[in-house]
Amino acid sequence: GQNIDQPTEMTATEGAIVQINCTYQTSGFNGLFWYQQHAGEAPTFLSYNVLDGLEEKGRFSSFLSRSKGYSYLLLKELQMKDSASYLCAVRDPYGGATNKLIFGTGTLLAVQP
Amino acid sequence: DGGITQSPKYLFRKEGQNVTLSCEQNLNHDAMYWYRQDPGQGLRLIYYSQIVNDFQKGDIAEGYSVSREKKESFPLTVTSAQKNPTAFYLCASSIRGGISYNEQFFGPGTRLTVL
C-alpha cells in the first residue's frame, strides 16, 4: 500500500522559520509535490521534487531524500497570510502514463503575531 | 484567463436526490480529476480521465458517476447511493503523462451539503 504521513497541526510566529515534514512509504517513486490550501479554497502548487536535494523558490524551499522516503517544506520570514494547510502528495508509482497523485492529510499551519 | 471553474460554490440537496457538479477548464489539458475532501482526511480521488470518452475509477468511486464527452468538461454526479455525500468537492486538470513537472491545477471547489 501507499502511505503518506504529515503532522496534523503546527503553530509558528510571524517572521520565524517553520519546517513541515512529510514521510512516504510507497513501492516506487516518481515525484513529490507540495501544495498550499487556504480554508475553503483550491490547493495551489508550491513545489516539485524528483531528485534528492533542496529546491528553493523565494521564501519557500522543499527538500527530498528518496533513500529515507522523506521531504520537508521550509517557510522563511513567515507572514500571517501563510496560515493555511500544506499538502504533501506523491505521484502514484503505479500510475503509468497518468499523473495521478496520492495526497497526505495535510498540515494546518497557524501563524501567530 | 486560463483556469478551471466549478459551479456552484455551495450546493444544498435533500437526501435521496442525485446532484451533478460542474467542472470546466480552458487550459487545453487532456487529464481531469475529481477529489473529495473531508476534515482530517486530505484529498481522495473519486474518478479521473486521461482523454475524452475515457475515465477510470479512483479510490472512492462508489456512489458517483462521471462523463467526459468534451475535453473541457468533466461533470460529476453524486447519486443517492453515496452514503455520506456531504463534503468539499475539488476538480483538477493536468497535462497528460506522469513525467516531470506536470502539476495538477485545481478549481475553487463545490461544497455540497445534503440535508
Side-chain angles (χ1 to χ4, degrees):
Chain A
Q2 326 292 343
N3 194 46
I4 299 173
D5 291 309
Q6 302 179 238
T8 304
E9 295 181 357
M10 298 182 71
T11 303
T13 305
E14 193 175 13
I17 299 173
V18 71
Q19 178 175 311
I20 302 174
N21 295 326
C22 171
T23 57
Y24 61 90
Q25 298 88 38
T26 58
S27 50
F29 182 77
N30 192 20
L32 184 145
F33 295 80
W34 283 96
Y35 282 83
Q36 180 191 60
Q37 185 181 25
H38 286 98
E41 296 183 8
T44 54
F45 169 77
L46 289 177
S47 68
Y48 171 75
N49 294 74
V50 67
L51 299 176
D52 291 349
L54 190 68
E55 294 283 341
E56 297 188 75
K57 265 189 179 183
R59 293 191 299 117
F60 292 7
S61 304
S62 57
F63 172 83
L64 175 69
S65 169
R66 289 173 295 170
S67 63
K68 295 182 180 177
Y70 169 68
S71 174
Y72 67 71
L73 181 69
L74 194 71
L75 289 72
K76 303 176 188 173
E77 303 168 15
L78 279 172
Q79 302 174 10
M80 299 299 291
K81 66 178 182 179
D82 297 329
S83 293
S85 284
Y86 291 86
L87 313 179
C88 174
V90 298
R91 186 177 277 126
D92 187 342
Y94 292 112
T98 75
N99 197 22
K100 287 173 59 184
L101 297 180
I102 303 167
F103 282 86
T105 56
T107 298
L108 182 61
L109 174 66
V111 179
Q112 298 178 337
Chain B
D1 271 334
I4 303 177
T5 57
Q6 291 185 244
S7 60
K9 179 79 171 168
Y10 298 95
L11 190 55
F12 296 88
R13 279 294 182 268
K14 291 184 179 178
E15 196 172 342
Q17 289 182 333
N18 291 358
V19 59
T20 298
L21 280 57
S22 163
C23 177
E24 304 279 332
Q25 55 97 1
N26 61 4
L27 299 168
N28 200 32
H29 286 165
D30 285 310
M32 296 187 75
Y33 315 80
W34 272 106
Y35 293 93
R36 170 184 173 135
Q37 188 173 34
D38 296 281
Q41 293 202 41
L43 274 66
R44 292 184 291 167
L45 184 65
I46 304 172
Y47 268 97
Y48 65 102
S49 169
Q50 292 289 100
I51 200 166
V52 174
N53 292 324
D54 187 50
F55 48 83
Q56 284 79 39
K57 293 181 180 180
D59 301 317
I60 54 165
E62 185 175 350
Y64 299 98
S65 66
V66 293
S67 63
R68 187 85 188 277
E69 297 176 1
K70 297 187 300 181
K71 186 176 185 177
E72 302 79 19
S73 179
F74 192 40
L76 174 75
T77 297
V78 185
T79 75
S80 56
Q82 168 48 233
K83 292 185 172 56
N84 295 300
T86 294
F88 188 47
Y89 290 88
L90 286 159
C91 179
S93 72
S94 75
I95 297 170
R96 187 181 175 196
I99 57 171
S100 187
Y101 206 97
N102 298 338
E103 79 265 29
Q104 293 184 14
F105 294 82
F106 285 84
T110 293
R111 188 165 296 279
L112 173 65
T113 302
V114 175
L115 306 170

